[in-house]
Amino acid sequence: MKNIPVIMIIFGGSGDLAHRKLYPCLFNLYEQGLIHDNFAVIGTARRPWSHEYLREQVSDAIHETHDQVDENEVKAFASHFYYQSHDVTNVEHYVTLKKLAQELDDRYSAQGNCLFYMAMAPRFFGTIATHINDQHLTGSGFNRIVVEKPFGHDLVSAEQLNKEITASFDENDIFRIDHYLGKEMIQNIMPMRFTNPLIKNIWSGEYINNIQITLAERLGVEARGGYYDTSGALRDMVQNHIFQIITLLAMPEPKDLSSDSVHQAKQELLKSLIIPTPEEVKKNFVRGQYLGSDTTFAYKKEPNVDPDSTTETYVAGKTKFTSGPIAGVPIYFRTGKEFKEKKTRIDIVLKHINNPYGQAHSNNITIEVDPESKIYITINGKKIDEPGIRREDLTYAFSKEEMAKVPDGYERLLHDVFVNDSTNFTHWSELKRYWEFIDAVEDAWQKENEAGNPEIAQYLPYRMGPKEADNIFESPTEHWIYE
Ligand code: BG6
């Protein structure tokens, strides 16, 4: 692998994301030689840490995520880390930061290449972008910026943030990260769709009855009540992760695998995304909040959550496109906290066909993303010793050894940033379209809230979410495949 010279500045260097994901994943890339001699990382945050203390934190982060490590490698890697105490609202601090970045650029021969990573509370993204621009922090080589989610709170704020970032960075240098796009099975959607005649040829409204996407979580909002109460499931999970999955499932075949072609195919599809009317939101969407149990809080009693909150911890809904291979096919989705189990899966439900055996089982394609990674097709055959049709799964799965080789999504995506591959990042025009959809739903809900009659289903924790979500289907023969 080519050694890429770069100075990386992480805003949020003392935070959870940096500790759990960025430091361990950077270490893996270091071990593979992608970043090696000519790189340095500046971690910034308000706390008054020293370089040495940050290096200890980096070393701890690696030990916490790796069973076996070469201590000399860890030490050598950590020596590339520098800490700068930084208040993102203080202009002076950017001057100091710039000076340190320049010194390190000289020391490490980083060729003026800079990578900025926004890994802190999203309310500061705009301020950081503005000061990167007015204090001229960008270097003389490449300049890239990675922006964590949420990118805005609605379309207007996303547009504002985008304006602030594009003052210093070209669209091609902005990496809006969505960790779902780094997941093994999400990256398997395109090859599955486009390399198998068996699947590619049935990918249309003629054969597909509906598609169902479930992002279920066992955990509640935990310590994130403050953030979550201003967000809710629709913004937190649908606006990004679910819409990315929908786009990969519904987009036309790209002309090749270049980032431009993939984004072109996505954008072509998204033009035809149907934005729901308030009546459609009422009919096709369900929002819910989890109740408490003997040992857990109800959502409204969680720390930092408004006791009268109307924020949803669950949402189910429907979407459709007017063009693309599955134009007109309903795509149902749902996501929620405090489900019975963690489960991310996609079910492609095929239409029944007339057959001389009478009733057969449905023939579906399922992609399991988490916690297991596999694709299976439920298939009909004959029963051995009695008349009738038996159902079995044809499974595409990985061995334990193969699974152990699957890199963390963050490692993959960081790698892509270093090698300048934007394929698995969100382009502005895609994000914009997602927000248009989300805003339409949020506005309709907001009106219901203001009218004093919000329909927010209260659901029991650790089950399957509100039963109201069973009624969003277009036909009475449709139902959730994963129950
Ligand atoms: C994040 C959300 O983007 O995704 C969290 O903010 C959620 O609320 C998480 O828990 C789920 O990610 P994963 O990879 O565990 O499915």
Side-chain angles (χ1 to χ4, degrees):
M1 229 185 254
K2 206 169 129 236
N3 173 22
I4 296 183
V6 66
I7 303 297
M8 182 171 181
I9 300 179
I10 302 179
F11 296 97
S14 66
D16 186 52
L17 179 72
H19 194 89
R20 273 189 313 112
K21 296 288 181 184
L22 304 185
Y23 299 151
C25 293
L26 283 171
F27 178 68
N28 295 345
L29 297 175
Y30 174 81
E31 282 204 300
Q32 293 157 35
L34 181 72
I35 40 169
H36 209 268
D37 303 321
N38 310 105
F39 94 99
V41 178
I42 306 177
T44 79
R46 287 179 67 146
R47 301 175 197 192
W49 285 6
S50 63
H51 299 323
E52 223 17 76
Y53 190 74
L54 173 65
R55 288 171 195 159
E56 279 167 27
Q57 290 297 311
V58 169
S59 165
D60 287 352
I62 295 162
H63 288 110
E64 284 160 24
T65 45
H66 293 70
D67 289 338
Q68 274 182 337
V69 277
D70 173 342
E71 292 305 330
N72 289 331
E73 281 273 282
V74 176
K75 225 169 149 197
F77 171 71
S79 74
H80 289 258
F81 282 71
Y82 296 82
Y83 187 77
Q84 179 66 54
S85 176
H86 182 88
D87 169 359
V88 294
T89 60
N90 186 330
V91 179
E92 296 293 307
H93 287 191
Y94 291 84
V95 180
T96 320
L97 190 56
K98 184 178 172 179
K99 212 166 134 250
L100 176 61
Q102 277 168 347
E103 271 168 39
L104 295 176
D105 188 85
D106 289 344
R107 190 176 319 161
Y108 288 93
S109 307
Q111 301 177 15
N113 293 334
C114 276
L115 174 59
F116 301 88
Y117 200 116
M118 295 212 201
M120 57 189 305
R123 66 179 184 283
F124 297 119
F125 292 173
T127 312
I128 300 171
T130 303
H131 293 320
I132 289 178
N133 186 44
D134 58 29
Q135 299 309 307
H136 311 291
L137 253 72
T138 50
S140 56
F142 71 63
N143 287 286
R144 296 179 193 148
I145 186 163
V146 184
V147 192
E148 277 293 330
K149 64 170 271 278
F151 195 100
H153 182 73
D154 52 18
L155 180 58
V156 172
S157 56
E159 274 173 336
Q160 175 62 26
L161 175 58
N162 203 47
K163 212 166 114 199
E164 286 153 347
I165 296 177
T166 48
S168 303
F169 300 90
D170 290 341
E171 172 64 31
N172 287 343
D173 297 322
I174 305 171
F175 293 80
R176 299 178 193 83
I177 200 162
D178 181 321
H179 75 283
Y180 268 65
L181 288 180
K183 289 186 190 254
E184 180 66 20
M185 297 315 285
I186 301 298
Q187 295 198 346
N188 246 309
I189 294 176
M190 284 196 4
M192 182 199 83
R193 279 189 54 196
F194 301 130
T195 63
N196 298 299
L198 195 65
I199 294 177
K200 181 171 165 171
N201 290 323
I202 54 101
W203 211 262
S204 73
E206 197 182 336
Y207 298 104
I208 299 182
N209 187 307
N210 69 77
I211 290 184
Q212 306 178 5
I213 300 167
T214 304
L215 265 56
E217 294 190 89
R218 172 86 187 169
L219 296 176
V221 297
E222 309 238 283
R224 295 164 80 221
Y227 151 75
Y228 197 87
D229 208 35
T230 62
S231 165
L234 190 69
R235 289 190 174 99
D236 189 50
M237 299 291 275
V238 181
Q239 189 274 337
N240 34 66
H241 312 320
I242 288 188
F243 258 113
Q244 283 291 354
I245 297 174
I246 291 174
T247 308
L248 285 167
L249 292 167
M251 71 193 221
E253 184 167 325
K255 116 172 160 290
D256 52 48
L257 292 179
S258 68
S259 172
D260 281 352
S261 301
V262 171
H263 284 292
Q264 212 175 3
K266 288 184 170 183
Q267 286 154 29
E268 192 182 316
L269 168 80
L270 288 170
K271 279 188 223 145
S272 81
L273 170 68
I274 300 176
I275 307 289
T277 62
E279 295 70 41
E280 285 164 344
V281 172
K282 202 168 174 51
K283 198 163 133 224
N284 301 330
F285 285 74
V286 171
R287 50 177 167 157
Q289 287 174 333
Y290 57 79
L291 293 165
S293 69
D294 292 347
T295 51
T296 56
F297 289 126
Y299 175 65
K300 286 191 204 171
K301 301 229 165 86
E302 293 278 16
N304 301 321
V305 169
D306 177 354
D308 298 320
S309 177
T310 52
T311 301
E312 75 290 354
T313 58
Y314 174 98
V315 57
K318 180 179 98 169
T319 182
K320 266 187 195 176
F321 296 91
T322 57
S323 77
I326 53 165
V329 173
I331 303 172
Y332 302 105
F333 55 82
R334 61 185 162 164
T335 181
K337 302 277 186 199
E338 297 203 355
F339 252 64
K340 72 167 184 193
E341 60 185 347
K342 169 81 183 165
K343 182 77 86 181
T344 303
R345 64 181 263 173
I346 303 161
D347 294 286
I348 293 112
V349 184
L350 302 184
K351 287 185 174 165
H352 278 281
I353 46 173
N354 285 332
N355 70 80
Y357 294 90
Q359 191 93 53
H361 305 284
S362 59
N363 171 217
N364 304 330
I365 304 169
T366 297
I367 305 171
E368 286 217 9
V369 179
D370 276 324
E372 279 183 86
S373 299
K374 59 182 179 184
I375 301 172
Y376 57 91
I377 304 181
T378 50
I379 193 163
N380 290 299
K382 75 173 267 305
K383 285 190 174 161
I384 298 172
D385 51 5
E386 54 177 314
I389 293 298
R390 124 182 184 163
R391 180 193 223 187
E392 287 295 332
D393 294 344
L394 292 180
T395 307
Y396 174 100
F398 303 93
S399 67
K400 251 197 172 137
E401 292 73 31
E402 283 170 324
M403 278 315 290
K405 279 198 235 147
V406 174
D408 184 277
Y410 265 95
E411 180 179 330
R412 266 200 179 123
L413 296 174
L414 272 172
H415 170 273
D416 292 351
V417 176
F418 286 118
V419 301
N420 201 18
D421 179 353
S422 316
T423 315
N424 288 311
F425 293 83
T426 311
H427 191 279
W428 167 245
S429 47
E430 295 150 25
L431 189 95
K432 191 165 173 241
R433 204 67 187 128
Y434 300 156
W435 273 127
E436 282 166 5
F437 185 98
I438 299 300
D439 279 2
V441 181
E442 290 285 354
D443 288 352
W445 284 349
Q446 188 55 32
K447 289 209 176 79
E448 284 179 22
N449 295 351
E450 282 161 13
N453 59 351
E455 279 175 36
I456 305 172
Q458 305 294 311
Y459 62 95
L460 291 171
Y462 312 122
R463 311 250 176 111
M464 287 301 287
K467 58 179 182 347
E468 286 81 346
D470 295 345
N471 304 328
I472 63 169
F473 292 96
E474 286 188 0
S475 116
T477 60
E478 293 172 327
H479 59 91
W480 294 109
I481 298 297
Y482 162 59
E483 286 179 316

